[in-house]
Amino acid sequence: MTNAPHRPRRSCLYMPASNARALEKAKTLPADTIIFDLEDAVAPDAKEVAREQACAALQSGEYGERELVVRINAMDTPWFAQDLKQACFSQADAVLVPKILSAQDIIEITDFMEDQDASLDTQLWAMIEMPQAILNLGEIAALGPQKRLTSFVMGFNDLAKEMRADHDHAIFAPVMVQAVIAARAYGLNIIDSVYNDFNDPDGLTTACLEAKKLGFDGKSLIHPAQIETANRSFAPHADEIAEARAIIAAFKDSINAGKGVIVVDGKMTELLHLKQAKQLVATAEAIAALES
Ligand code: COA
Ligand code: MG
């Protein structure tokens, strides 16, 4: 499942890797992706313990089909080199690097990974949370999978702090559009930022549905109580799946053979809609496989 196309990333749960109880609990939580955090959620004195616990957890083989990611400390910190070195051999599916500023950062990280002989299966994910990264979205995304870069993860708590902006994430709608465009231009996945109020399921549902509408694959989460909402919100709905299957069936019908545009359920339907329909069904099937 790990590198399969359409792999679900509806729910990407952060957990402080210093918190042994959370590490244990995550083995049974229905999050598509687990992000072992060594950065913001870990106090300076706990950095080494968190790194050791994260690596042991990643190598344990006890997290089933969940995608496993480790968020290391930023490049300008004293922990970065050792974090990345150990992450390269941790069997993580991806290393998530915070505070990325430019394409040059990605190149330096990838070169470091090559020097370590990191497995080619270990991908690089970039946090988009600095004003410089927003200005450089296109050049960062353009490096793409040939530099191991496969996902953007938005970080609006840090971006708000850097901008001295309000913490109301609704103000970031234009940035979200730009980031999705940059990611999709180069075939990257993209995960929305966190919703801080984990006791507000209605607010979280609204945030998830807005992100889904913009094209995001899923949402970063901070608490187990948020997982079901994200999984439900980002999964294709039954009526969307039925509509997609109807489009696929209509194009297969011999009376539509060779046609580029047909009418399905009263609506103009072109080959681009067929492609979209196939993608949606593949996503729904990947979710069903993960949940079975
Ligand atoms: N991942 C896994 N398990 C988690 C978890 C997480 N992110 N957050 C809480 N839990 C567990 C707790 O360990 C507790 O388990 P238990 O029932 O076995 O004791 C249970 O879920 C209920 O937790 P709760 O008491 O409601 O939360 P809390 O008050 O202990 O913690 C936070 C609240 C916000 C501190 C905590 O959820 C957290 O650390 N979240 C992640 C923060 C983070 O990683 N930030 C970086 C990215 S922004
Ligand atoms: Mg941060």
Side-chain angles (χ1 to χ4, degrees), residues 13-17 19-27 29 34-37 39-42 71 127 157-158 193-194 196 198-199 220-225 227:
L13 177 69
Y14 283 107
M15 74 183 50
N19 181 343
R21 209 177 161 86
L23 288 170
E24 191 55 35
K25 193 165 182 93
K27 293 174 185 170
L29 294 172
I34 304 280
I35 305 176
F36 299 101
D37 190 23
E39 198 218 8
D40 283 341
V42 177
R71 182 167 79 169
M127 294 284 314
N157 285 334
D158 270 290
S193 187
V194 296
N196 293 327
F198 57 83
N199 290 312
S220 314
L221 306 178
I222 48 170
H223 193 278
I227 298 172

